[in-house]
Amino acid sequence: MAGTDTAAAKTPGSRAPVLPVLAVGAFAIGTDTFVVAGVLPEVVRDLDTGLADAGWVSTAFALTYAVLAPVLGALTGRLERRTVLLISLAGFALGNAASALAPTLGLLLAARIATAASAALYIPAASATAGFLAPPERRGRALAVVLGGLSAATVAGVPFGTWLAADLDWRATFWALAGLGVVCAAAVAGLLPQVRLPAAPDLAARLAPARDVRVLLTVVTTLLFMTGGYLALTYVGGVLAPATDGDGTTLALLLLVFGCTAIAGTMLGGRATDRWGAVPVLAVSVAGLAVVLGTLPYSRDSLTGAVLAMAAWGLAAMATQPPQQHRLFTIDPGSGPLLLSLNSSATFAGISLGGFLGGQVITHGGTDALDTLGPAGAACAALALLVTLVAARGVRTARGKAPDPTPTAPEPVRDGT
């Protein structure tokens, strides 16, 4: 019985479409993360507050996610994965409902913080589940399917949520997200088998892999290239203003191009990781990101150049994610939730840090500040590439001295088996 269930969970097109279910949950989390920027104008008008104050709705979410992802990953590492996902989605739905009902900015901030805490559980747990259910030779593609939900949010979820806020009310966007959370929770409860990861006997042992230098270097790599990308992406409207002439519709179409190629980058990154390994794919994608960012001052002056830049940007940026997840997962599959949550934390820390540093560049960089954002981001990406190569050399040296201790993935366990 257990073997049948495992096969059903792993086989594409089977009666238990586990990976698409996990991807839809990631889509909901991604939409909730990035849609706030699109609804802020409506929040400012409805709650009679300033734009800078309302901006904390987004900042508080990202910071909470960054801080709590590794902590919650460690504390829930011994729990069965389906239970963790259901807790996350239930909290996500309740947090968005509270956001929709919030009468003041303070209560909205509190609701967003609670939502971020729940969201911080989901992506690492979903990625670890996908990694364990997939055979080793298809693990990169399985991780890419889950992460593809995040990419899809930039194409469909964020534009739809922004339109809903403009056409109806910003609260309608959060109600829609709450409803999506309920649907995802029902799908997980009905379709996902129980998956128990091998756990260390106590919290100290579960945290031990986080002190591995390979983990540290991998997470620092994520922080660096995410910071580099968001130095410019946070202020992409200003960066691309010469190409768009300040037209919001044109900018939206450019962001759509970015989102479409981001999905392609995620899928290609996953397949390439399965074929060539994580480090070569990561090195190529980070190098590509550095080239795109470094040439932004030259591509931002024409619409054709901007289209090409955004297409290459989305492709390179999201191709980094499957190999990073794969690197961490293979270091210690039993600590997968913790290690993948560290990567999520680094991602959101990079988003916050990139936005902050980009703001400082704009404030103090003079008339050419927007031209500086791309090259500054490219420098961060180049540093991320250097760290990647250093880490890869260290891993090769370690493997020459000792056998690979990576355990095989256990079968998921269903109720009653």
Side-chain angles (χ1 to χ4, degrees):
M1 181 67 178
T4 302
D5 292 334
T6 302
K10 289 181 178 180
T11 304
S14 70
R15 60 184 175 84
V18 171
L19 293 181
V21 169
L22 297 175
V24 172
F27 172 83
I29 301 296
T31 301
D32 199 31
T33 300
F34 301 115
V35 78
V36 172
V39 306
L40 274 187
E42 305 297 328
V43 172
V44 168
R45 284 192 288 270
D46 187 46
L47 298 183
D48 192 24
T49 187
L51 183 60
D53 290 336
W56 279 101
V57 173
S58 178
T59 301
F61 187 100
L63 289 177
T64 301
Y65 193 116
V67 171
L68 290 185
V71 175
L72 295 176
L75 293 176
T76 61
R78 303 176 79 174
L79 295 179
E80 188 269 321
R81 294 298 90 191
R82 184 173 64 184
T83 300
V84 173
L85 291 170
L86 288 174
I87 291 172
S88 171
L89 290 169
F92 174 84
L94 290 173
N96 275 291
S99 299
L101 293 170
T104 65
L105 181 61
L107 290 176
L108 178 59
L109 282 171
R112 299 308 295 155
I113 289 171
T115 307
S118 298
L121 271 175
Y122 186 86
I123 299 300
S127 297
T129 301
F132 269 91
L133 291 177
E137 69 275 9
R138 297 181 63 87
R139 187 168 290 153
R141 275 169 279 190
L143 291 169
V145 170
V146 176
L147 293 170
L150 287 174
S151 302
T154 66
V155 178
V158 172
F160 177 77
T162 303
W163 168 80
L164 198 62
D167 192 60
L168 296 176
D169 181 73
W170 65 270
R171 300 177 190 276
T173 299
F174 290 119
W175 279 122
L177 287 167
L180 184 57
V182 171
V183 171
C184 290
V188 166
L191 296 174
L192 189 69
Q194 284 195 6
V195 177
R196 295 188 182 276
L197 278 60
D202 53 34
L203 182 59
R206 291 200 301 277
L207 289 173
R211 297 190 290 271
D212 189 321
V213 67
R214 295 171 297 171
V215 173
L216 176 63
L217 291 175
T218 302
V219 170
V220 167
T221 300
T222 297
L223 176 65
L224 286 170
F225 67 66
M226 290 301 298
T227 298
Y230 274 84
L231 267 164
L233 192 59
T234 303
Y235 307 98
V236 69
V239 171
L240 298 182
T244 64
D245 290 326
D247 180 66
T249 300
T250 304
L251 177 62
L253 291 174
L254 289 173
L255 290 172
L256 181 62
V257 170
F258 179 94
C260 288
T261 58
I263 293 178
T266 303
M267 296 301 145
L268 288 174
R271 289 181 175 274
T273 297
D274 286 337
R275 183 168 183 178
W276 290 296
V279 173
V281 176
L282 181 65
V284 170
S285 57
V286 173
L289 179 62
V291 171
V292 172
L293 293 173
T295 56
L296 270 182
Y298 309 102
S299 59
R300 64 189 289 256
D301 291 329
S302 70
L303 186 58
T304 299
V307 169
L308 294 175
M310 292 299 279
W313 194 349
L315 188 71
M318 287 308 296
T320 62
Q321 295 302 318
Q324 281 295 81
Q325 298 270 25
H326 194 280
R327 290 171 76 197
L328 286 169
F329 189 84
T330 54
I331 289 172
D332 185 353
S335 298
L338 170 62
L339 301 185
L340 295 178
S341 67
L342 286 172
N343 193 63
S344 291
S345 182
T347 296
F348 279 82
I351 292 172
S352 299
L353 184 58
F356 171 76
L357 293 178
Q360 295 301 303
V361 170
I362 291 173
T363 300
H364 304 291
T367 56
D368 296 327
L370 290 174
D371 274 329
T372 307
L373 291 177
C380 291
L383 187 56
L385 178 59
L386 177 62
V387 174
T388 297
L389 298 177
V390 170
R393 182 177 181 180
V395 168
R396 285 196 297 270
T397 301
R399 284 178 177 172
K401 296 179 179 179
D404 184 3
T406 302
T408 58
E411 291 186 352
V413 180
R414 276 189 181 272
D415 295 331
T417 61

